Amino acid sequence: MLPALVPGLRVRQWPDLGDPREIRYLAAWTIPPGLMTDLPDLGFALSIGAGVDQLDIGAIPVAVPLLRMAENAIADGMIEYVTMAVLMLHRDMPHYLAEQAAAHWSPRRRIAAAERRIGVMGTGMLGSAVLERLACFGFALSGWSRSPKDMPGVRCHAGTEELPAFLAELDILICLLPLTPETRDILAGPVFRQLPRGAAVINAGRGGHLVAADLLAALDSEHLSAAILDVTDPEPLPADHPFWCHPRVLLTPHVASSTDPATAAHFVADAILRHREGKSLPGLVDRAAGY
Ligand code: NDP
């Protein structure tokens, strides 16, 4: 599909690269060791996922722009997943699933969406799309990012100094951060303790954001009510990991969203054409920030 979108483009698949000096653009999930030194004429390197944490960024020469897949279909998948997870928590599904297994009939009072406080850590491409869609239900929304934001209908917080205020007012915390040295292990005891008692957590960022032992302690002490985890560290979890059968943990196998080859081809074609024309590149990664 890609050659049809970019005049004159020939696609080579590693390890059959032919003469590596002819390679102008590299799209990869991970980069085989030593490959970069064989590619002296790269116009850009592209992560085929929305994140770049799986890449050895240091192996990519600073002069080579690093891009990530920042296309709408990834946001569409994430909107579906997070909306499902939020509605499951909002409508007490972890409780009803456990009650069904025990053959119990125990209705709970429905809480109005406007009373349910939902916060998204990471209000970038995915977090902002999720917040926009959750607004349709009338939830009380807030967001937390590195730099200050102004989003209609969303209480915006920025930086570590505003993290406590953000956490203190949440019933459901959603992590859609990139995994960087600053955000690794962020979903841990100190953050959980700042959430109101009974809050729930959704992690659709990366498994490395979560300290599993701290989540288990927070669930078992009933400070947190439930967790929905799409990502874990490692993936998959070992068969004896307590998350598999914890009654208040719902696990999915890193399926919240993914790159759709058809729409991704349009993103890559656009990036190549823009590079050829000397225009700004889409999905440019800030190497210093790590995302
Ligand atoms: P973006 O780069 O568009 O947004 C990242 C957001 O996180 C930004 O708002 C950024 O703040 C914020 N952020 C980064 N570092 C910090 C920090 N130290 N403190 C506070 N806020 C911070 O990323 P995307 O929205 O496209 O993707 C987010 C992540 O989602 C990906 O990196 C990937 O790990 C994960 N993902 C998971 C998938 C799944 O299937 N489970 C699928 C796709 C992605 P600022 O706006 O100020 O820069």
Side-chain angles (χ1 to χ4, degrees), residues 10-253:
R10 283 177 294 148
V11 176
R12 295 182 190 165
Q13 196 164 353
W14 186 84
D16 301 321
L17 294 184
D19 182 351
R21 289 169 301 181
E22 294 173 359
I23 303 292
R24 289 290 283 138
Y25 306 105
L26 175 69
W29 177 244
T30 57
I31 299 176
L35 176 65
M36 291 308 297
T37 49
D38 292 339
L39 308 176
D41 199 24
L42 273 191
F44 62 71
L46 166 77
S47 164
I48 59 170
V52 292
D53 54 284
Q54 79 287 355
L55 285 174
D56 177 7
I57 296 184
I60 302 169
V62 178
V64 176
L66 173 60
L67 315 185
R68 67 189 184 99
M69 195 61 75
E71 54 102 18
N72 292 341
I74 298 181
D76 292 343
M78 190 57 80
I79 288 169
E80 287 178 4
Y81 183 90
V82 175
T83 302
M84 172 198 71
V86 163
L87 291 178
M88 284 189 78
L89 294 168
H90 173 56
R91 298 307 307 267
D92 292 317
M93 279 310 286
H95 163 76
Y96 291 125
L97 289 171
E99 292 300 283
Q100 179 180 351
H104 287 164
W105 183 272
S106 57
R108 281 185 171 176
R109 181 178 75 85
R110 184 176 79 84
I111 292 179
E115 291 173 37
R116 191 70 80 184
R117 302 162 300 174
I118 297 176
V120 177
M121 299 176 111
T123 56
M125 176 180 80
L126 301 180
S128 59
V130 160
L131 280 162
E132 195 180 322
R133 194 64 62 92
L134 290 178
C136 303
F137 294 93
F139 292 119
L141 299 173
S142 50
W144 182 68
S145 54
R146 211 157 60 103
S147 54
K149 294 272 154 60
D150 186 10
M151 303 169 73
V154 179
R155 190 186 287 230
C156 295
H157 304 263
T160 42
E161 59 289 353
E162 292 183 17
L163 184 58
F166 166 72
L167 295 170
E169 297 189 343
L170 295 183
D171 300 308
I172 299 174
L173 172 67
I174 302 162
C175 177
L176 283 174
L177 289 166
L179 185 62
T180 68
E182 282 181 30
T183 65
R184 181 174 287 282
D185 293 343
I186 193 167
L187 298 177
V191 157
F192 298 149
R193 284 191 285 278
Q194 292 176 75
L195 290 168
R197 190 170 181 79
V201 171
I202 298 167
N203 187 16
R206 287 286 183 259
H209 288 129
L210 176 69
V211 178
D214 289 10
L215 176 63
L216 289 166
L219 289 168
D220 293 343
S221 68
E222 305 209 339
H223 183 70
L224 294 184
S225 58
I228 298 184
L229 309 175
D230 182 54
V231 285
T232 59
D233 184 19
E235 291 179 356
L237 289 171
D240 61 350
H241 196 284
F243 283 168
W244 285 114
C245 15
H246 196 286
R248 284 178 291 126
V249 174
L250 297 180
L251 271 186
T252 50

